[in-house]
Amino acid sequence: MRKLRWLLDLLVVAAAAGLAFGAWSLWGPAAQPLAIKGQVKAVQPLQLTAVGDSLTHGVGDDSNNGGYVGLIKNDLESTGNYSVTTSNFGVTGDTSSQIQKRVDKQPKLQAAVKKANIITVTVGGNDLMHVLQKHLLSLSDKDVATGSAQFQKRLSKLLKTFRQLNPTAPIYVFGIYNPFYVYFPKLTAMTTSVKTWNAGTQQTVNQFKQAYYVDIDSVLTKGTNTQATDKKTKASLAAAMSDDSNSNPLIFTEDHFHPNNAGYALMTSQLWQKMQQTKQTWE
């Protein structure tokens, strides 16, 4: 009899415990994950789609790493926080009109823009060169202003197309630079043209949500801000920047026009700084 009562009491206790556990599971507070020191953060996948001219293609990069596109991928992945896939749609010699035509007609390019977390664009240098070639011996401020105004309309159309394909990804638009400054420092028309062009580009870019202008004129045109740590390198850079030299240490020596590896590194640094400032738009 005592054994039977003992079994009944045990069953009552077990049933009460089961009911209590069920109620706690349904209405009790949710379990919270433990914060463990040294816990590894999940790696975030990113798609970077680069569209543009030879600067996106990477002409002058003798490492064949895609110029700034390969370098910005390395910068992102070196943080340990991101896994980056890049799509490079840079074509040497393309003007804004030719880039627009490719965006309008190439499904692969359109698909890459649609799925991008980050979009980068190099455009405008070839448009300006066409203006300079057309008015080679009679270039005036009016010619440059007219050319810039026409380019801004084409740039605006291009950015609208990107926004139609991808409403949210930040768009980073590089300015242009003067590759001839070191060779012809007294040719003020070229310097003025680049500044006018960049000012217009900056105004156009600012009209679009989550679109950002990336300045490269200040770091490439005069060959400044080059990192030099040893005396020999400093001496060679000083010679390159002297009035009687014909060399920009950031420009590819085979064409004296495109950036070299050091030039692309500075382009990437400018892009990385802007991306860090606008991190909330792509992370």
Side-chain angles (χ1 to χ4, degrees):
M1 191 71 179
R2 287 182 179 179
K3 183 180 288 188
L4 180 60
R5 180 177 293 277
W6 179 81
L7 287 173
L8 288 173
D9 290 343
L10 185 61
L11 288 172
V12 169
V13 171
L19 289 171
F21 179 77
W24 181 266
S25 300
L26 289 173
W27 299 295
Q32 299 297 320
L34 293 175
I36 303 173
K37 287 187 177 180
Q39 185 173 357
V40 178
K41 181 181 177 182
V43 175
Q44 179 182 348
L46 291 174
Q47 167 68 37
L48 186 148
T49 299
V51 184
D53 49 29
S54 56
L55 295 185
T56 292
H57 183 71
V59 175
D61 173 14
D62 58 19
S63 69
N64 295 318
N65 193 35
Y68 80 84
V69 179
L71 291 174
I72 196 63
K73 171 184 168 72
N74 292 341
D75 282 347
L76 284 162
E77 292 189 333
S78 67
T79 66
N81 297 326
Y82 314 104
S83 173
V84 183
T85 301
T86 61
S87 298
N88 191 323
F89 295 94
V91 175
T92 301
D94 262 14
T95 63
S96 55
S97 298
Q98 291 168 316
I99 295 171
Q100 179 73 55
K101 186 176 181 179
R102 287 195 288 125
V103 175
D104 289 340
K105 293 190 174 183
Q106 295 182 4
K108 186 177 179 180
L109 196 163
Q110 293 170 3
V113 170
K114 285 180 180 179
K115 68 179 182 179
N117 303 105
I118 301 165
I119 301 169
T120 62
V121 186
T122 60
V123 61
N126 293 313
D127 295 75
L128 175 57
M129 291 305 299
H130 284 194
V131 173
L132 297 177
Q133 291 168 357
K134 183 178 180 181
H135 304 281
L136 186 61
L137 300 177
S138 59
L139 183 68
S140 66
D141 292 344
K142 183 179 180 181
D143 295 328
V144 176
T146 300
S148 176
Q150 293 171 348
F151 167 70
Q152 300 314 322
K153 291 180 181 179
R154 296 191 294 270
L155 176 59
S156 181
K157 180 181 178 181
L158 182 62
L159 295 178
K160 285 179 181 176
T161 305
F162 285 138
R163 271 290 162 256
Q164 289 169 357
L165 293 169
N166 189 323
T168 58
I171 305 172
Y172 297 93
V173 182
F174 286 91
I176 62 174
Y177 64 99
N178 178 4
F180 307 117
Y181 178 85
V182 171
Y183 311 104
F184 307 105
K186 296 181 180 179
L187 188 61
T188 57
M190 183 66 178
T191 300
T192 302
S193 300
V194 169
K195 290 187 180 302
T196 299
W197 215 262
N198 282 334
T201 297
Q202 193 165 6
Q203 290 177 358
T204 300
V205 171
N206 288 342
Q207 294 172 10
F208 289 83
K209 186 178 180 180
Q210 292 186 190
Y212 308 99
Y213 172 79
V214 180
D215 165 47
I216 58 174
D217 182 35
S218 63
V219 296
L220 289 183
T221 292
K222 296 183 180 181
T224 55
N225 294 345
T226 305
Q227 299 298 313
T229 55
D230 59 276
K231 290 183 178 180
K232 184 177 180 180
T233 304
K234 288 180 179 179
S236 65
L237 291 176
M241 293 307 300
S242 64
D243 290 339
D244 59 351
S245 72
N246 288 319
S247 177
N248 182 332
L250 304 175
I251 299 299
F252 191 41
T253 54
E254 290 190 18
D255 63 16
H256 301 287
F257 188 86
H258 294 95
N260 57 21
N261 290 14
Y264 279 116
L266 282 180
M267 276 185 67
T268 308
S269 177
Q270 294 294 95
L271 172 61
W272 182 236
Q273 288 180 34
K274 186 65 68 172
M275 287 178 62
Q276 289 293 91
Q277 295 168 6
T278 57
K279 193 174 183 179
Q280 74 283 355
T281 64
W282 53 266
E283 187 175 48

